[in-house]
Structures are given as structure tokens and as C-alpha cells.
Amino acid sequence: MATAPLSQPRAGVALRDYTTWKVGGPAAWFAEPADQGELIAHAAWAAASGLPFRCIGAGSNLLIADGGLDGLTLCNRRLQGSRLDPGEGWVEAEAGEPIPTLARKAARSGLRGLEWAVGIPGTVGGAVVMNAGAQGGCTAEWLVSVRVLDPRRPDAPFELAAADLAFAYRHSRLQEEPLLVLSARFRLEPGHDPAVLSARTSANLQSRTSTQPYQQPSCGSVFRNPEPLKAGQLIESLGLKGLAIGDAQVSPIHANFIVNTGAATASDIDALIRQVQQRVLESRGVRLHPEVQRLGF
């Protein structure tokens, strides 16, 4: 086994404490690096030790099995920080920076482009991987490049241009390749009134919180919209609001949300996702595809 990084990975950490659904079993090994250097050291240790390796951010759009995960799980929430150039419009952010935080910083700096992101419960890294979007905007519109790490070669981080990420609706090549986002670079529109942008950002947040179940544990939207249809409308049209398996429930507020009403398990949520998919397919002939990434199933 290789020498461990300075901050020793911990064994058996409950991952339910690191997901927005509040479900998930233990990580065989777990660490929260304080900076990119420490994250790279952990990745190198895992590679040299022959351990499977993955990284989680805010834990939204993520369903971790009740049995937990083998190998090393890293959480990048501590990798926060950003640099903004209000004159040129450049923004660079660490992968663990909450995307709502970055949206507010940009608005206060008079940089237009991220107002849509204020209600998304995720990190910059997660937003890049999922091509997150809302309110008519998405990550791919403003991203210039990302700095990534290949866990198979943890000593050589490199950059990818946005054009190389094969962006599509809620998709990027990073969902299919074992590359870890370290930081991202955006080009926004400078010269706008910060007060106007901040007001627009706050209005977007109010719109989301008033129509979605933000007071209960969820992962955000469960299914991709089967354009031009809306997943929530399809589910609601079948009377599935309130449908429950155990303590996992299709939200009575927004049908594209599944909430944990108390002691739901990952298996409850997974079963409910599959039941909703089956009901929609049988009744409407539409196959719903989850935005949610399943780990450990």
C-alpha cells in the first residue's frame, strides 16, 4: 500500500450525512481534502493502493446505495473560492464552490450570466458534470474551460475546453469518463448594474423556492424533461403526487421531486423512481430518464 496523504482517510463514514436526500450507506474510505493539492494526493494514494475512487460535491443529484461504497470517496465541499474580473468578465471557481454562491458573487460584480443558478443545490464541479440549468440558462452557455484530474494519472491535471465536453441537455462527457473537475473558468457579460442583477437573482430564487419542496430532503429534480414535455407535468397528470414507498414520496408540491419524509432508505427511493418510470411509460408511452446518478447499486 502507498503512503497515505497528510489528512488520513477515515473508514466507515456514513454517506447519508453528505447527500441532500439524507440516505446512503458507509464509505469504506472517506476524506474531505482542504485544497486541490491534498485532493490530488488522496487520488494518488487511491491509485497506488488499487482502490476505486470517486468524488462527490454537495451530494445533490446523487443516490448512494444503503450498502455504501467501496474504495475511496472524496468530498470536495471544502475546495471553495473564486476569482472574478468585473472588467473583463472572467470568473474562475474551485470545484467545491456552491453554484448559488458564485451566482450571487457574479451579480454583485455586475457580471451577467449566472442568475439562473442561484437555486441549484450543487457545486460548480457538479454543475459542469451535469450541465446544470434552470430558468432558461445552463452551464454550457458560459463555461470556457475546466481543469480536470484523471484518477489513473493523478500527477498530471490538465485543461479541457468547453467545446471538448460534448455538452447536451443535462449531459457532458464527464458523466461517462473518470475525470474529476478541479476548477472551472467562465466568461460572463461585464458592465451590468449589480443592483438589477442581484434583484433578478433573488427573484429567480424566490420562484424556485415557492414552487419546489425546499423544506424536505430531496435531490432536486429527479428526471430529465423529455423535451418538449415536462417530467413533472407528466407525473402529475397520472395523479402520482403523494405516491410513497416507505418514507420516500413523490412531492405533493412538485411531481418531479421525490422527498424523504423521515426515514427513507436509498432502496425506497430507487423503487419509487422505477415505479414512476413504469407508470409513465405504460400510460403515456414516454420513458423518463433520471438526472440522478446512482452509486453502489
Side-chain angles (χ1 to χ4, degrees):
M1 297 280 283
T3 302
L6 289 178
S7 59
Q8 182 74 29
R10 294 178 286 150
V13 172
L15 292 173
R16 64 176 177 272
D17 297 330
Y18 293 88
T19 70
T20 57
W21 251 325
K22 304 302 181 186
V23 300
W29 294 100
F30 179 86
E32 291 182 83
D35 53 40
Q36 286 190 22
E38 191 169 284
L39 185 148
I40 291 170
H42 278 295
W45 173 75
S49 304
L51 294 175
F53 166 83
R54 87 281 302 163
C55 185
I56 62 176
S60 57
N61 267 11
L62 189 63
L63 183 61
I64 295 176
D66 299 311
L69 301 176
D70 59 0
L72 175 64
T73 300
L74 293 180
C75 178
N76 70 6
R77 293 183 191 180
R78 295 175 64 193
L79 274 68
Q80 297 188 20
S82 58
R83 297 162 297 281
L84 295 85
D85 186 332
E88 295 295 327
W90 292 105
V91 176
E92 295 184 5
E94 299 283 312
E97 177 87 347
I99 192 71
T101 300
L102 188 63
R104 293 189 185 94
K105 288 180 180 178
R108 290 196 297 267
S109 297
L111 297 174
R112 189 188 80 83
L114 295 180
E115 301 90 284
W116 54 269
V118 69
I120 291 179
T123 60
V124 166
V128 172
V129 171
M130 296 301 298
N131 188 17
Q135 309 287 337
C138 70
T139 306
E141 292 178 57
W142 305 98
L143 185 75
V144 174
S145 62
V146 289
R147 186 167 186 254
V148 298
L149 177 74
D150 186 337
R152 297 163 297 190
R153 297 182 57 202
D155 58 334
F158 59 98
E159 286 205 1
L160 286 172
D164 297 326
L165 295 178
F167 278 127
Y169 172 67
R170 302 296 179 266
H171 179 269
S172 79
R173 65 180 272 200
L174 298 175
Q175 296 175 29
E176 299 155 358
E177 298 184 35
L179 299 176
L180 171 66
V181 176
L182 298 175
S183 62
R185 185 174 173 88
F186 301 85
R187 179 67 180 269
L188 305 181
E189 289 185 4
H192 291 265
D193 185 339
V196 172
L197 292 182
S198 294
R200 188 179 302 155
T201 301
S202 296
N204 285 343
L205 180 60
Q206 174 61 30
S207 174
R208 289 176 67 88
T209 57
S210 63
T211 58
Q212 299 175 358
Y214 271 78
Q215 302 307 312
Q216 292 176 294
S218 78
C219 76
S221 295
V222 174
F223 299 104
R224 294 181 170 97
N225 287 322
E227 301 288 2
L229 304 174
K230 301 296 184 185
Q233 292 174 0
L234 283 170
I235 299 166
E236 183 174 358
S237 73
L238 297 178
L240 298 183
K241 277 186 172 181
L243 177 68
I245 294 179
D247 279 351
Q249 181 190 53
V250 176
S251 171
I253 297 173
H254 193 304
N256 199 17
F257 281 65
I258 289 176
V259 295
N260 181 351
T261 63
T265 64
S267 295
D268 292 336
I269 294 170
D270 187 57
L272 187 55
I273 288 172
R274 295 180 188 278
Q275 185 170 143
V276 169
Q277 285 177 301
Q278 187 65 27
R279 298 275 288 273
V280 171
L281 181 61
E282 290 175 351
S283 299
R284 298 289 187 265
V286 176
R287 187 177 301 278
L288 293 179
H289 296 281
E291 292 188 21
V292 181
Q293 293 185 313
R294 292 180 172 91
L295 295 181
F297 285 88

